């Protein structure tokens, strides 16, 4: 009903006191990951409606806990401002105090900050499935690439088991690890939380074939994520994949939307009757870490592979570098040992390095006798693949804690190119080096210098990510990769119905794939507008004030028994977005220029 405020508890409209007033917040899920909000209200019991709704309290001891958690809807002037849960906090003979507890349309309110994934029931892998290295999401929620650890190589059976699609003998089950695809895992996670995943835009990106790398001996999906809370995992998925989880708590649905197109075609709304403006310059360190405006880095563990994948600052500029027109030219060159090699066609960097290994019985399909002497080979190795993404005007730092899985090239005797390799016993000695190249000697061997560098301590990493799109190498082994370009330069390979490998976890490639040419939001600037606009603003709208575009962070409104107070506040960040992306159209209507109300209103400048 218009002109007043209504509070509906369990389907019954309560009688509000004459002096009722509460401040409500509505937030944009693009930014906010807060917990719950509570709106307090004291209800008189001197009327029939409230007495019938709360009459049972008189029969309770006041020290007893009241478990009444009925639905609560707060409305004003016919508009819904809050859907939540009623919590009774106290009562007397004359009145009852209740709180309307509401989440901010974010999953973390309903799951709590400490809910562990391993406590949930996400279902299990059907271990009776035949081995099929080419099966991929959505036909199967897991894949089985070979993965090397300190103890052994898991899923090393696949090359010999694929013929005829045989099931794995029971005696080999302990050597199997199931790697869940991210998209399938998220669907199972949402279901376990009581939600239906309606839209998953990850499936339209390269992340469709991203899978989670772990070493847990289990066929239960939840136990593949030991120690991870739901909140932390979803946050890291957002950071890595550039998505946001948008929840409809009424319908119990979830949409996973790409941030890069979140504001494309968004409605632009000219905010009217603005009476005041407060601007706060936020310290850069306290700005929201966001991919398009932050320095971006992976939280890589201390590992020899890491030293080669993320070179110290200034290294490439300090050592001797030879340039070649292609990777083939680098491979064909001689006398390149100890130097940094650059493919000018791609900008990628390489070195020639030497590897020592033993070929044991059955390993890599080798002979039945272990070699009497170590075997060595020289090969070209790409370096600095996962260097951090630096920006000249960075406002914050975003550190991604789902790093690419270490992938090393198998020895030439293997007959297949690369394997997941998360061994931690590799050489991580720091020698006399540091984590920068202030004193690098240009005449030193580049490979040896890289090995000597120490790496900054990082948190323990127990999960990694990689891609598998069904592609196999000769012999049938599934090919895992973290960079499609890198994966395809090592023959021999065999094609599958899924096609050539696609996708890359290089930060520069993620930016080019997901964010090139899109909008830019300055989260270090926070502006509050006070307005008498009579409309109810959508938190996802782009607002226009004085010919500038802003995105809404949160809206704060005060409700009284008579409805919403005329003045209210909206907190915003400035956005840079093209007219095409924001659907700003200029057309001639009724003899005046009209662009849908973004800049002109009835032929007059709208500010």
């Amino acid at each position: 009903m218009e002109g007043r405020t209504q509070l509906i508890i369990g389907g019954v409209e309560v009688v509000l006191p004459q002096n009722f007033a509460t401040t409500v917040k509505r937030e944009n899920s693009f930014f906010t990951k807060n917990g719950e909000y509570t709106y307090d209200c004291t209800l008189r019991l001197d009327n029939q409606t409230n007495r019938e709704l709360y009459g049972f309290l008189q029969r309770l001891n006041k020290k007893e806990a009241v478990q009444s958690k009925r639905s609560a809807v707060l409305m004003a002037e016919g508009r819904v401002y809050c859907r939540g849960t009623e919590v009774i906090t106290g009562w007397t003979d004359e009145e009852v105090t209740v709180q309307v507890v509401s989440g901010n349309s974010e999953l973390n309110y309903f799951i709590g900050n400490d809910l562990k994934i391993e406590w949930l029931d996400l279902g299990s892998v059907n271990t009776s499935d035949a081995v099929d290295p080419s099966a991929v999401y959505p036909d199967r929620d897991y894949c089985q690439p070979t993965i090397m650890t300190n103890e052994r190589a898991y899923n090393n059976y696949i090359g010999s088991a694929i013929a005829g699609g045989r099931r794995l003998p029971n005696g080999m089950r302990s050597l199997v690890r199931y790697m869940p695809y991210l998209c399938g895992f998220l669907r199972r996670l949402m279901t376990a939380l009581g939600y239906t995943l309606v839209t998953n835009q990850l499936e339209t990106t390269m992340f469709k074939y991203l899978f989670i790398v772990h070493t847990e001996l289990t066929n239960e999906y939840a136990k593949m994520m030991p120690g991870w809370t739901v909140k932390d995992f979803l946050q890291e998925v957002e950071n890595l994949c550039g998505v946001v989880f948008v929840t409809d708590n009424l319908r119990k649905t979830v949409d996973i939307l790409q941030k890069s197109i979140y504001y494309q075609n968004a409605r632009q709304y000219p905010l009217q009757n603005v009476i005041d403006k407060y601007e706060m310059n936020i310290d850069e360190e306290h700005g929201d870490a966001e991919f398009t405006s932050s320095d971006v880095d992976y939280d890589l563990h201390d590992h020899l592979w890491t030293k080669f994948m993320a070179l110290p600052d200034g290294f490439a500029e300090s050592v001797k570098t030879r340039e070649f027109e292609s990777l083939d030219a680098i491979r064909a060159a001689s006398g390149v040992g100890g130097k940094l090699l650059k493919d000018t066609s791609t900008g990628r960097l390489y070195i020639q390095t030497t590897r020592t290994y033993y070929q044991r019985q059955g390993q890599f399909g080798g002979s039945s006798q272990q070699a009497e002497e170590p075997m060595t080979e020289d090969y070209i190795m790409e370096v600095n693949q996962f260097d951090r993404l630096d920006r000249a005007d960075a406002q914050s730092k975003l550190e991604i804690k789902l790093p690419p899985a270490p992938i090393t090239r198998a020895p030439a005797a293997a007959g297949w190119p690369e394997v997941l390799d998360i061994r931690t016993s590799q050489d991580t000695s720091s020698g006399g080096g540091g984590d920068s190249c202030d004193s690098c000697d240009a005449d030193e061997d580049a490979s040896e210098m890289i090995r000597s560098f120490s790496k900054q301590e990082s948190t323990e990493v127990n999960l990694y990510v990689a891609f598998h799109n069904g592609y196999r190498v000769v012999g049938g082994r599934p090919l895992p990769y973290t960079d499609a370009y890198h994966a395809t330069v090592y023959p021999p390979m065999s094609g599958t119905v899924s096609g050539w490998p696609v996708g890359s976890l290089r930060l520069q490639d993620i930016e080019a794939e997901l964010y090139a040419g899109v909008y830019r939001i300055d989260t270090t600037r926070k502006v509050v507008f006070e307005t008498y606009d009579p409309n109810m603003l959508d938190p996802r709208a782009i607002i226009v004030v004085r010919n500038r575009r802003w995105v809404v962070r949160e809206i704060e409104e005060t409700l009284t028994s008579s409805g919403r107070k005329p003045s209210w506040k909206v907190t915003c960040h400035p956005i840079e977005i093209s007219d095409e992306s924001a659907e700003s159209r200029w057309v001639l209507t009724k003899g005046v220029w009209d662009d849908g109300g973004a800049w002109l209103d009835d032929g007059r400048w709208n500010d």
Side-chain angles (χ1 to χ4, degrees):
M1 181 181 297
E2 303 229 351
R4 67 185 182 92
T5 297
Q6 300 166 276
L7 176 59
I8 302 171
I9 303 291
V12 178
E13 182 181 349
V14 302
V15 177
L16 294 174
Q18 291 273 331
N19 61 348
F20 172 80
T22 188
T23 300
V24 296
K25 286 188 177 181
R26 293 185 293 122
E27 299 183 323
N28 186 349
S29 55
F30 186 93
F31 299 105
T32 55
K33 295 292 179 291
N34 296 326
E36 65 187 40
Y37 287 105
T38 60
Y39 307 112
D40 296 315
C41 180
T42 299
L43 303 175
R44 298 287 302 173
L45 298 179
D46 57 2
N47 60 82
Q48 183 67 24
T49 300
N50 292 355
R51 279 200 304 270
E52 290 181 356
L53 197 60
Y54 294 101
F56 70 96
L57 294 174
Q58 305 304 320
R59 299 190 296 270
L60 297 177
N61 185 308
K62 292 182 182 179
K63 294 183 180 180
E64 294 184 58
V66 180
Q67 299 300 322
S68 175
K69 292 187 178 181
R70 296 175 288 198
S71 64
V73 181
L74 186 60
M75 302 176 62
E77 301 168 0
R79 300 162 174 168
V80 176
Y81 283 85
C82 167
R83 293 184 188 274
T85 303
E86 169 217 36
V87 176
I88 300 172
T89 58
W91 67 93
T92 67
D93 292 341
E94 292 81 25
E95 59 187 25
V96 57
T97 303
V98 300
Q99 287 181 338
V100 178
V101 182
S102 175
N104 60 343
S105 296
E106 291 296 326
L107 280 174
N108 58 308
Y109 167 69
F110 296 92
I111 61 181
N113 291 337
D114 57 356
L115 178 63
K116 297 288 183 66
I117 293 177
E118 58 198 287
W119 298 343
L120 300 171
D121 181 6
L122 306 186
S124 303
V125 171
N126 184 356
T127 56
S128 65
D129 287 344
V131 176
D132 185 0
S134 63
V136 296
Y137 179 83
D139 296 328
R140 184 168 285 184
D141 282 352
Y142 64 91
C143 57
Q144 296 170 279
T146 299
I147 176 172
M148 298 179 68
T149 69
N150 286 352
E151 293 77 25
R152 63 184 72 229
Y154 296 108
N155 296 341
N156 203 24
Y157 64 90
I158 289 181
S160 60
I162 60 169
R166 298 198 303 270
R167 290 174 54 187
L168 196 67
N170 289 333
M172 297 181 67
R173 293 284 167 82
S174 64
L175 303 181
V176 177
R177 296 297 183 270
Y178 301 100
M179 309 291 165
Y181 279 105
L182 176 63
C183 286
F185 189 88
L186 288 173
R187 186 190 68 249
R188 291 174 176 272
L189 182 59
M190 296 303 108
T191 300
L193 294 172
Y195 289 80
T196 300
L197 182 55
V198 177
T199 302
N200 183 2
Q201 292 183 348
L202 284 174
E203 296 182 353
T204 66
T205 71
M206 61 184 180
F207 295 115
K208 175 179 180 179
Y209 296 116
L210 192 73
F211 68 90
I212 300 166
V213 180
H214 70 97
T215 58
E216 298 299 313
L217 176 56
T218 180
N219 67 325
E220 296 181 47
Y221 285 99
K223 289 183 171 53
M224 298 174 188
M225 303 280 291
W228 279 78
T229 65
V230 176
K231 179 185 178 183
D232 288 344
F233 179 67
L234 295 183
Q235 181 64 63
E236 291 307 318
V237 171
E238 289 189 346
N239 290 343
L240 173 64
C241 302
V243 294
V244 59
F245 291 82
V246 178
T247 308
D248 186 326
N249 299 325
L250 178 62
R251 296 178 178 83
K252 293 291 184 180
T253 60
V254 174
D255 294 308
I256 303 177
L257 306 179
Q258 286 181 256
K259 281 189 172 183
S260 59
I261 60 176
Y262 189 86
Y263 282 109
Q264 284 187 4
N265 304 324
R267 181 192 175 195
Q268 290 194 85
Y269 180 79
L271 194 63
Q272 305 174 39
N273 304 324
V274 176
I275 62 169
D276 209 347
K277 171 186 175 182
Y278 312 89
E279 182 164 359
M280 297 176 288
N281 287 317
I282 306 170
D283 182 37
E284 291 185 2
E285 295 183 359
H286 295 92
D288 291 338
E290 206 273 327
F291 201 104
T292 61
S293 58
S294 305
D295 288 337
V296 188
D297 201 1
Y298 285 113
D299 184 15
L300 297 170
H301 59 316
D302 194 2
H303 185 286
L304 180 60
W305 174 86
T306 298
K307 296 181 182 182
F308 284 93
M309 291 302 103
L311 298 179
D313 292 341
F315 180 83
E317 294 77 21
S318 302
V319 299
K320 288 184 177 179
T321 302
R322 287 187 58 182
E323 295 186 348
F324 298 82
E325 63 183 10
S326 68
L327 178 57
D328 288 338
I330 292 176
R331 287 172 164 167
S334 59
V336 295
K339 297 179 177 64
L340 195 63
L341 314 172
K342 183 175 182 179
D343 177 358
T344 57
S345 67
T346 62
R348 292 176 182 251
L349 300 175
Y350 301 86
I351 59 169
Q352 178 180 287
T353 189
T354 301
R355 170 173 37 202
T356 302
Y357 66 95
Y358 293 89
Q359 185 172 319
R360 295 182 174 84
Q361 179 178 359
Q363 186 179 24
F364 311 132
S367 65
S368 59
Q369 301 295 323
Q370 179 175 329
E372 294 182 1
E373 298 293 335
M375 303 178 68
T376 61
E377 66 172 356
D378 293 332
Y379 69 103
I380 299 298
M381 175 182 183
E382 183 172 355
V383 296
N384 218 30
Q385 234 177 320
F386 301 110
D387 188 24
R388 71 172 179 263
L389 183 62
D390 286 329
R391 305 184 190 282
D393 55 348
Q395 301 157 1
S396 55
K397 179 180 179 181
L398 176 64
E399 189 173 62
I400 300 173
K401 299 185 183 300
L402 284 177
I407 293 183
T408 58
R409 187 182 175 197
W416 40 278
E418 298 192 323
V419 292
L420 297 168
D421 186 355
I422 60 172
R423 290 174 293 176
T424 57
S425 60
Q426 299 190 49
D427 174 26
T428 58
S429 60
S430 60
D435 58 2
S436 67
C437 260
D438 295 334
S439 59
C440 284
D441 187 342
D443 294 324
E444 285 190 48
D445 183 286
S447 178
E448 293 305 316
M449 274 196 288
I450 293 172
R451 292 174 186 272
S452 73
F453 287 121
S454 60
K455 184 184 179 298
Q456 185 176 356
E457 290 295 327
S458 65
T459 56
E460 181 179 356
V461 178
N462 64 350
L463 287 183
Y464 305 87
V465 287
F467 297 101
H468 174 54
N469 73 333
Y471 210 85
R472 304 193 306 270
V473 297
V474 171
R477 292 179 182 271
L479 176 71
Y481 59 94
T482 52
D483 177 359
Y485 175 85
H486 182 87
T488 56
V489 298
Y490 294 118
M493 296 195 173
S494 61
T496 70
V497 294
S498 295
W500 200 251
V502 292
S504 172
L505 294 175
R506 293 175 77 232
L507 295 173
Q508 294 77 6
D509 292 341
I510 292 176
E511 180 174 51
E513 177 76 15
L514 299 182
Y515 298 101
V518 300
Y519 50 80
R520 186 180 173 93
I521 299 171
D522 184 357
T523 58
T524 64
R525 288 192 61 202
K526 186 182 291 186
V527 175
V528 180
F529 295 107
E530 186 173 354
T531 174
Y532 276 80
D533 194 310
N535 297 295
M536 184 177 184
L537 183 64
D538 182 352
R540 289 182 57 180
I542 296 176
I543 66 172
V544 180
V545 181
R546 298 180 177 90
N547 298 337
R548 293 199 61 182
R549 295 183 176 119
W550 308 82
V551 288
V552 176
R553 184 182 184 93
E554 67 179 29
I555 300 168
E556 183 177 303
E557 298 153 302
T558 300
L559 305 183
T560 68
S561 58
S562 302
R564 187 182 73 171
K565 288 184 65 174
S567 66
W568 49 279
K569 296 178 181 179
V570 54
T571 302
C572 307
H573 298 294
I575 182 174
E576 297 176 11
I577 187 171
S578 67
D579 288 345
E580 292 78 10
S581 296
E583 272 207 331
S584 188
R585 300 188 182 97
W586 288 79
V587 296
L588 193 62
T589 304
K590 297 178 181 179
V592 297
W593 287 108
D594 176 20
D595 69 333
W599 305 102
L600 292 176
D601 188 9
D602 295 331
R604 298 182 180 180
W605 286 108
N606 174 19
D607 63 348

